[in-house]
Amino acid sequence: MFFRLLRLILVLMLAVSAQPSFDAMAQAIGQGSAQLIADQQKVVQDLAAKTDGLEKKVADDAEDDAALVDVRLQLEDLSRAALNSALAFRSRLADINNRIEVLGPPPAQGQPQEPAIVTNERGALAAEKAEINAVIASAQNLSIRINSLIDKIGVMRSDLFRNFLAKRYELTDALSPQAFSDAHDQFTGLYKAVSSWLIFAFKFKLQAVLAAALMALGLAAVLLVGGRRLFGRIFEPDPSIEEPSYLSRLSVAFWSTLLPSAALSVFLASTVFFFNYYNVLRGDIGVFLNALLAVIAVVFCVNRLTNAALEPRLPNWRLIPVETGPARWLVRLTTAMAVVIGFNNFLSVVNDKMGSPLSLTIARSFVATIIVGVILILMALLKPFRARDGTWRPWPAWLRVTAVALGLFTIAAALLGYIGLALFVSLQVVVTGTVLVTAYIGFLSARAIGEEGGFADTSAGRWLTANSSYDETALDQLGLVVSIAINLMIVLVFLPLILLMWGFQPGDIQAWAYKLATGVTIGSVTISFTGILSGIVVFVIGYFLTRWFQGWLDGSVMARGRVDAGVRNSIRLAVGYAGVAIAGLVGVSAAGIDLSNLALVAGALSLGIGFGLQNVVSNFVSGLILLAERPFKVGDWIVAGDTTGTVKKISVRATEIETFQRQSVILPNSTLINNAVGNWTHRNKLGRVDIKVGVAYGSDVKRVHALLLEIARSHPLVLKNPEPFVLFANFGGAALEFEIRVFLADILNGNIVQNDIRFAIFDEFNSEHIEIPSTPRAVVETTKPEAWPIDDDKMEADFAEKEQAEAEAAVEKARLAKSRRKGSKPDPD
C-alpha cells in the first residue's frame, strides 16, 4: 500500500510539473501511431485485393501447372508481406505495454481516485492497442487465407500430375491415316515458318545474325581452347597409360561429361541470348530454337556420358569392363534413345505452338515410347562380357530383368493407351538415368579423392607436391575438403535437374531455395542454412585473416624491431586468441544466432563449469596470467620442481618444457602459478657457475689459488666484470677444498665453461705436480664363524672317533720306540 501511494505521488508531481510537454509528446506519439495504423491498414487492403485477383487466376488456370506455380510464388510473397505488416507494430506494442505497466491497474472501489490525466492516458493507450490488434488480426487472417490457397494449389497440381499419368487415350484415331495427313500439314507449316524467318533474317537482320553468331562462336572457341588448356589433363584420357588407377578413370569419366556439357550449354545459351539481344528471333522461332537447343544439349550429354563410361577406343579407361564391340553398341543404342526422346519433346513444343490436333500428339508419343521400350529390351539382351573360355555372358540378372521390365512396361502402357505414363517412364529412363549415373560417378570420384592418399595421386595433388611445401597429411586434409566440395557441387547441380525431370517447376525449386535461404522453422527454432553457411564463411575468413596478421606482425614488425623471442611469442599468442574469439563471435552473429539466447545456456553451464571443469578453468586463467605477467617466456631456462629445461610453448592450458635430454614435459599452468619456479634467464642470461676442486694436504695453497684464478681468467667466455673469484672453501677430511666462481654472459654456456675449466685444471695440476686426492675406501675382512653343532649324536660320534684316533696314534708311537731300541745293536760283519 505504501509503495502504491508513493507511485501515485510521483505520477502527480510529474503531471503537475510537466503537463504541457507531456501533452505535446503524447499528441505527437498518438499522431505517429495513427499514421502507422493507417498505412498498415492500406497495406493489408492492397494485399487482400491482390489475393482476390490471384484466387480468380487459380480458378482460370486450373489446368496449367506452370501458371499455378507462378501464382503460388506470388501468394508466398503476399503471405510474407502480410506477416511483415503485422510485425510493424511490434515496437509500438512493446511501448504501449510498458507504459500501461508503469501506470498500473486502475484503483479498486474504495481506494483513492487517480488523477484524470492518468485515467485518460490509460484509456488512450487501451484504444490504440485495440486498433493495432485489429490491424494485426486482419493481417493474420489474410495470411491464413493465403496459406490455404497455397495448399489448394498443391492439391490441384498433384491431381494434374496424377491425371496426366493415369489418363487413357484411344489409339484408333492416333493410328489412322488422318494422323499421317496431320503430320504432313504440321511439317509443312513448320517449314514455312522457319523458311520465312530465315528469309526475313537474311534480308533485314543479316548483320545482327552474323554478329550474334560470331560472338557465340568466339565464346565457344574461348571455352574450348581455354578448357582444354586448363582442364585437358583432367577430362581427356591418356592413351600412354596402360593401367590407370580407378580414381583416374572416375575423374576422367566425371569431368569429361560435366565440363564439355557445361561448355556446350553455355555456348547454346549465349547463342539464344545474343539472338534475343539483337532482336533476331520472333516469338515462335524463339520457342522452337530453345527446344531444339535443349534437345542438342541432352543428346550431347548422354553421348558424352556413355563414351566416358564405356570408352570404346581405350579399353583400359573403361569404368565397366565390357568388350569393345558391345561397348560401341551400347553407346549407339543409348544415344539413339536420347535422340528419340529429345526429338519427341521438340515435336511436342512444335505441336503446342502450332495448335496440332490431339491425335497427332498421341501418335508421336506412341511411336517414341515404343522405340524406347524396344531399345531398352535390346540393351538388356546384349551379352557384353566374355568368359575365359571365350563364351559371351549377359548382364547380371538384376540389371537385365530391370531393363526388360522397364521396356515391356513402356510398350504395354503405350499399347493400352496410357501414353502419358509411357512417355514419362521413357523420359525418366533417359534423362534421369543420365543425371543419376553422372552424379553417382561424381560421388565415387569424391569418395576416392577423400580417401587417405587419394588426392596425392591426382594431377592437382602431384602439382601441389612438386610446387608447394604441403606434406602428405596436409594433402589428405585438402583432399577431404575437395571431396566435400565436389559432393556439395553435385547436390546443388544435379538435384534441381532431377526435380525438374520429375514434374516440378522452376518456381518450386525457387520457393524451396528461398525457404532454405531465409530459414526453416521447426517449433520455435528457425534454422537458416544460408545463415549457417555465411557464419562458417565469415569465421573461416576471420581465422585466416588472424593467421595472416599474426605472421605479418611477427615477421615484419617485431622481427625488424628486434623484439625478444619470448615477447614475440606472447604477443603472437594473444593476437591469435583474440582474433579467433572475435571471428567466432562475428561468425555466430552472421549465422543469425541470437547471442542473448546463449546467456541462459551459459548460466546453466556455469555451475557445472565451476565444479566439473574447475581445473580446466584454473589452468586457462593461469595461462592468461602467464602470458600477461610473463614470469618466463619461450626460450627461458627454468626449474619447476624436479623438471629443468627450456620453455618451448606457452598455451592457455599448459606449458611445454623441453629438458636437456630432449624430453618434452607438459606442465599445467596452475602448477607454474601456484608453485615456486626458478628462471635462469628471467631478465637476462647473465649467471654464475661454481666449480669445486680439492688438493692434497701439503700442497702450496697459494700456488693452487693463483693457478685456479689464472685458469678462470683465461677462458674467453668468462666475464671480466664481475671478475672471477677463487674461494678456499674448507679443510676437508681428505683434501683442501677450493671453489672457482665465474660469471658468464649466457648461462646456457655453463656446461661448456665447466668442462673447459676442469680440463685446464687437470693439465695444470699435472704439470705442477699437484695431487688431487681421492677419498680412500676401508677394506674390511670378514671371517666365517664356525657353525654351531645341531646334532648331539654326531658330536659324540666325532668325539669317540677322535679318541680312537689318539689311541691308535699312541700305540703306533710305542711300537716305533720299541723298534728303535732293537735297532741300536751293531750289525754283524
Side-chain angles (χ1 to χ4, degrees):
M1 185 65 181
F2 173 75
F3 291 105
R4 184 176 180 81
L5 291 175
L6 181 61
R7 184 174 61 184
L8 181 61
I9 294 172
L10 292 176
V11 171
L12 288 174
M13 294 176 60
L14 180 62
V16 171
S17 62
Q19 182 174 358
S21 60
F22 183 83
D23 293 340
M25 182 178 65
Q27 185 178 3
I29 293 174
Q31 291 177 355
S33 178
Q35 183 64 38
L36 178 62
I37 292 173
D39 293 340
Q40 295 305 320
Q41 283 178 342
K42 187 176 183 303
V43 169
V44 173
Q45 291 174 359
D46 293 340
L47 294 176
K50 293 180 180 178
T51 303
D52 293 337
L54 292 176
E55 187 175 8
K56 183 179 178 181
K57 192 175 181 181
V58 168
D60 296 338
D61 298 331
E63 300 296 329
D64 190 347
D65 187 68
L68 291 176
V69 171
D70 183 63
V71 172
R72 174 190 169 186
L73 292 177
Q74 297 181 44
L75 287 173
E76 289 179 348
D77 292 337
L78 294 181
S79 178
R80 287 190 291 268
L83 292 177
N84 291 332
S85 178
L87 293 176
F89 296 102
R90 177 183 293 177
S91 60
R92 181 57 185 159
L93 279 176
D95 295 338
I96 292 174
N97 292 328
N98 291 332
R99 292 175 66 181
I100 291 177
E101 184 179 357
V102 171
L103 294 176
Q109 187 176 4
Q111 293 184 351
Q113 295 293 326
E114 61 184 3
I117 187 173
V118 177
T119 303
N120 296 335
E121 176 71 11
R122 184 183 292 108
L125 292 175
E128 182 182 352
K129 184 176 181 181
E131 293 180 2
I132 292 176
N133 287 333
V135 178
I136 292 176
S138 300
Q140 290 176 347
N141 292 332
L142 180 60
S143 177
I144 294 173
R145 178 189 172 193
I146 292 173
N147 290 331
S148 64
L149 281 176
I150 292 174
D151 296 337
K152 180 181 178 181
I153 290 174
V155 174
M156 293 173 63
R157 293 186 60 208
S158 299
D159 293 338
L160 284 176
F161 185 68
R162 284 196 299 269
N163 293 334
F164 171 75
L165 295 181
K167 188 174 182 180
R168 186 172 182 273
Y169 298 93
E170 295 294 336
L171 300 180
T172 54
D173 295 335
L175 302 179
S176 63
Q178 182 63 33
F180 294 96
S181 177
D182 294 338
H184 180 268
D185 295 339
Q186 180 176 343
F187 281 112
T188 302
L190 178 62
Y191 174 77
K192 289 181 180 180
V194 174
S195 60
S196 63
W197 173 76
L198 290 175
I199 293 172
F200 166 78
F202 278 99
K203 281 186 177 181
F204 303 102
K205 295 286 186 177
L206 181 58
Q207 293 182 352
V209 170
L210 293 177
L214 288 176
M215 289 183 181
L217 288 174
L219 183 59
V222 171
L223 289 174
L224 290 176
V225 176
R228 287 187 176 277
R229 291 181 63 88
L230 293 176
F231 305 105
R233 295 181 179 179
I234 297 178
F235 66 84
E236 289 184 355
D238 190 357
S240 61
I241 301 178
E242 295 182 357
E243 295 183 358
S245 63
Y246 182 64
L247 175 60
S248 299
R249 288 182 287 158
L250 283 173
S251 300
V252 168
F254 177 68
W255 294 109
S256 63
T257 301
L258 183 62
L259 293 178
S261 299
L264 179 65
S265 300
V266 171
F267 165 67
L268 298 178
S270 62
T271 302
V272 175
F273 171 78
F274 287 126
F275 278 2
N276 288 323
Y277 181 78
Y278 289 109
N279 295 322
V280 175
L281 298 176
R282 68 189 190 199
D284 56 346
I285 299 300
V287 174
F288 297 157
L289 183 61
N290 289 332
L292 180 62
L293 296 184
V295 171
I296 294 174
V298 170
V299 173
F300 179 81
C301 180
V302 172
N303 182 263
R304 288 295 304 184
L305 176 62
T306 52
N307 274 287
L310 299 174
E311 196 58 56
R313 300 171 301 168
L314 300 174
N316 52 337
W317 283 91
R318 289 175 192 157
L319 288 177
I320 305 174
V322 299
E323 296 296 324
T324 301
R328 291 195 179 97
W329 273 110
L330 287 172
V331 171
R332 294 167 186 167
L333 292 174
T334 306
T335 306
M337 190 162 48
V339 170
V340 170
I341 292 297
F343 188 65
N344 179 70
N345 287 340
F346 172 72
L347 291 181
S348 67
V349 173
V350 174
N351 292 341
D352 294 339
K353 193 66 179 177
M354 299 185 68
S356 301
L358 180 61
S359 59
L360 184 60
T361 302
I362 297 174
R364 167 184 49 78
S365 301
F366 175 79
V367 174
T369 52
I370 292 295
I371 294 175
V372 170
V374 172
I375 292 176
L376 281 174
I377 295 174
L378 291 176
M379 293 173 64
L381 296 179
L382 275 177
K383 294 183 178 181
F385 306 107
R386 188 187 291 273
R388 294 183 179 179
D389 57 359
T391 59
W392 292 94
R393 294 188 295 108
W395 295 104
W398 66 270
L399 183 59
R400 186 171 67 254
V401 171
T402 302
V404 172
L406 286 174
L408 293 176
F409 178 82
T410 303
I411 295 173
L415 292 175
L416 293 174
Y418 296 99
I419 303 298
L421 179 59
L423 188 61
F424 179 78
V425 172
S426 302
L427 184 64
Q428 302 317 312
V429 168
V430 177
V431 182
T432 306
T434 302
V435 173
L436 289 177
V437 171
T438 306
Y440 181 66
I441 293 175
F443 283 128
L444 291 178
S445 301
R447 186 176 66 180
I449 290 175
E451 292 180 353
E452 185 176 359
F455 184 71
D457 293 336
T458 62
S459 57
R462 289 189 292 268
W463 184 86
L464 287 175
T465 303
N467 297 276
S468 67
S469 58
Y470 287 114
D471 55 4
E472 294 182 359
T473 303
L475 287 177
D476 282 339
Q477 295 175 349
L478 184 59
L480 184 61
V481 174
V482 172
S483 175
I484 296 174
I486 292 176
N487 287 325
L488 183 61
M489 181 194 69
I490 292 171
V491 172
L492 294 178
V493 171
F494 291 100
L495 182 59
L497 294 177
I498 295 174
L499 293 177
L500 291 175
M501 292 302 103
W502 281 82
F504 295 94
Q505 298 293 333
D508 295 324
I509 300 174
Q510 179 183 351
W512 295 335
Y514 182 83
K515 288 183 179 180
L516 289 176
T518 56
V520 178
T521 302
I522 303 175
S524 61
V525 179
T526 301
I527 301 174
S528 174
F529 294 98
T530 304
I532 294 174
L533 182 62
S534 301
I536 294 174
V537 171
V538 169
F539 175 76
V540 170
I541 293 175
Y543 177 81
F544 282 106
L545 284 177
T546 301
R547 291 292 178 259
W548 171 82
F549 182 75
Q550 277 184 296
W552 175 80
L553 184 64
D554 185 33
S556 299
V557 178
M558 293 189 291
R560 293 183 181 180
R562 301 185 183 277
V563 181
D564 183 75
V567 178
R568 289 168 57 183
N569 179 74
S570 298
I571 295 176
R572 184 173 63 251
L573 287 176
V575 169
Y577 293 136
V580 171
I582 293 173
L585 292 176
V586 174
V588 170
S589 300
I593 300 175
D594 189 2
L595 296 179
S596 61
N597 295 332
L598 299 178
L600 297 176
V601 179
L605 292 178
S606 60
L607 186 62
I609 292 175
F611 288 98
L613 301 178
Q614 55 182 347
N615 291 332
V616 176
V617 175
S618 175
N619 291 325
F620 178 78
V621 175
S622 301
L624 297 179
I625 294 174
L626 291 177
L627 292 174
E629 186 180 338
R630 297 181 61 250
F632 54 83
K633 56 187 180 297
V634 173
D636 283 358
W637 175 14
I638 68 171
V639 179
D642 297 334
T643 304
T644 301
T646 305
V647 178
K648 288 298 180 181
K649 184 179 180 181
I650 303 175
S651 301
V652 292
R653 191 200 67 83
T655 297
E656 179 183 348
I657 301 174
E658 184 180 280
T659 65
F660 298 111
Q661 291 80 24
R662 293 296 186 268
Q663 180 190 24
S664 293
V665 180
I666 310 300
L667 290 180
N669 290 329
S670 59
T671 303
L672 300 175
I673 288 291
N674 298 326
N675 299 326
V677 178
N679 191 346
W680 285 92
T681 57
H682 180 43
R683 293 183 176 86
N684 52 55
K685 294 184 179 181
L686 178 66
R688 193 186 80 181
V689 174
D690 300 338
I691 306 169
K692 296 180 179 181
V693 63
V695 297
Y697 278 92
S699 302
D700 187 352
V701 293
K702 294 186 178 295
R703 178 59 180 166
V704 171
H705 182 275
L707 287 174
L708 294 178
L709 189 60
E710 181 181 358
I711 292 172
R713 289 173 175 173
S714 63
H715 197 282
L717 296 180
V718 174
L719 295 178
K720 301 300 186 291
N721 185 22
E723 63 179 356
F725 179 74
V726 177
L727 176 67
F728 190 175
N730 190 24
F731 293 95
L736 301 173
E737 298 175 357
F738 289 82
E739 186 174 321
I740 303 175
R741 298 176 179 177
V742 295
F743 290 87
L744 306 179
D746 189 353
I747 192 63
L748 298 178
N749 295 325
N751 290 333
I752 299 175
V753 173
Q754 293 183 54
N755 190 59
D756 294 343
I757 289 179
R758 288 191 178 100
F759 274 113
I761 290 174
F762 191 81
D763 294 340
E764 287 293 332
F765 280 14
N766 279 339
S767 62
E768 295 289 336
H769 304 291
I770 298 175
E771 183 183 357
I772 301 176
S774 61
T775 302
R777 296 183 178 179
V779 179
V780 180
E781 295 183 359
T782 58
T783 58
K784 186 176 180 180
E786 294 183 358
W788 186 264
I790 59 175
D791 192 350
D792 293 340
D793 294 337
K794 183 175 184 301
M795 183 178 65
E796 292 178 357
D798 292 340
F799 182 75
E801 183 179 356
K802 182 179 180 181
E803 287 184 348
Q804 182 180 358
E806 289 178 353
E808 291 177 353
V811 172
E812 181 68 19
K813 184 177 180 182
R815 187 182 65 77
L816 291 175
K818 185 177 179 179
S819 62
R820 281 198 297 270
R821 284 194 300 271
K822 289 180 180 181
S824 61
K825 293 179 179 181
D827 295 332
D829 294 332

